[in-house]
Amino acid sequence: MKKMVLFLNIVIIAILLVPTSAFGHKLIPSDGSNLSLESSLEIPDPNISWAIYESINGNVKYYSFYGEQGEMFYASIVIPKLENLENFAPSMAFIGPESFLEIIDEFRIQKTNKSFPFSLPDGYDAHVFDYIGDFPSNEFYEPFGQVTYWERQEVIFDFPVTGKYYLAVFDKGSNPGKYALAIGTIEDFSASDFFTILPYAWLETKLFVNDYASAISAIIIFFGILSIIGYMLYRKIRSYQL
């Protein structure tokens, strides 16, 4: 029993000692219902570093957020290194009122086009960013989830006007696949996140890359530890009653 308690303490200390740069993004869960502008997944603050795991199959996923004039907007797409996804390269569209995007045109954003194949409300337009690199693309290893990704397009520019904007991700060839969308650059983790958001994000990452064995093992260990703690508390309470 003492060995198990010692092990639990070591695990907690190890988590606290891992640098926050290993985590990077806060995870925003998606239930896959963000299939229109009206049902877009809201990004609370596009300055904070967020990540969303998604799958598409001939459809389009939408995200919404408010931007402040002059603040930097950052977004990127990476693809988990899984079988049959080596050449998967969905497009990313930045959507807003035409008057806003005309100002973006003046900024001369490079490597963009207007080939957004889905309907938009009157007065709205889109800048589409396609991946134009080589295959296979550069890889990077994310240590927190122990996952390797292929890099795709990265978008950086300043918001031209304060207002509401949208981001859409779709594949022009209607190819099915998975992607991770990253938005924002500021890492913002509290002490409580190490015991709430981060364990949940780790589990979601494992499910996202089909690593079910690790996910199931983690769940078993988690409930095993809870059972041991519960039993220890029960023994302690019983000792006071006797």
Side-chain angles (χ1 to χ4, degrees), residues 38-160:
E38 295 74 20
S39 62
S40 59
L41 181 63
E42 183 178 356
I43 308 299
D45 181 350
N47 295 301
I48 301 300
S49 185
W50 305 100
I52 305 103
Y53 298 147
E54 293 276 27
S55 298
I56 52 175
N57 188 7
N59 53 4
V60 55
K61 296 293 180 69
Y62 292 90
Y63 313 88
S64 60
F65 44 87
Y66 283 90
E68 296 287 339
Q69 182 178 11
E71 289 187 346
M72 186 186 75
F73 173 70
Y74 171 87
S76 67
I77 289 178
V78 295
I79 308 299
K81 190 176 180 180
L82 299 174
E83 186 177 359
N84 300 324
L85 292 184
E86 181 176 336
N87 296 321
F88 182 58
S91 299
M92 182 194 309
F94 184 80
I95 302 170
E98 289 178 339
S99 58
F100 293 5
L101 267 64
E102 286 174 359
I103 299 176
I104 293 180
D105 285 337
E106 295 176 4
F107 292 169
R108 299 180 181 179
I109 294 178
Q110 301 297 315
K111 303 174 184 178
T112 181
N113 59 75
K114 295 294 187 70
S115 56
F116 187 66
F118 303 92
S119 61
L120 291 172
D122 291 340
Y124 278 73
D125 203 355
H127 279 282
V128 179
F129 299 85
D130 299 320
Y131 174 69
I132 57 175
D134 298 325
F135 295 100
S137 63
N138 293 332
E139 299 178 5
F140 78 91
Y141 179 75
E142 192 277 298
F144 174 57
Q146 300 93 45
V147 178
T148 299
Y149 293 92
W150 285 300
E151 296 178 351
R152 294 296 186 257
Q153 62 269 49
E154 185 176 70
V155 175
I156 304 175
F157 56 85
D158 292 338
F159 286 108

Side-chain angles (χ1 to χ4, degrees), residues 159-200:
F159 286 108
V161 179
T162 297
K164 187 174 184 178
Y165 297 88
Y166 299 88
L167 205 65
V169 178
F170 63 99
D171 186 79
K172 290 184 175 180
S174 297
N175 298 304
K178 293 184 175 185
Y179 65 89
L181 173 65
I183 293 179
T185 59
I186 300 175
E187 297 179 8
D188 181 29
F189 291 96
S190 65
S192 62
D193 290 339
F194 285 85
F195 302 96
T196 55
I197 293 176
L198 294 176
Y200 173 76

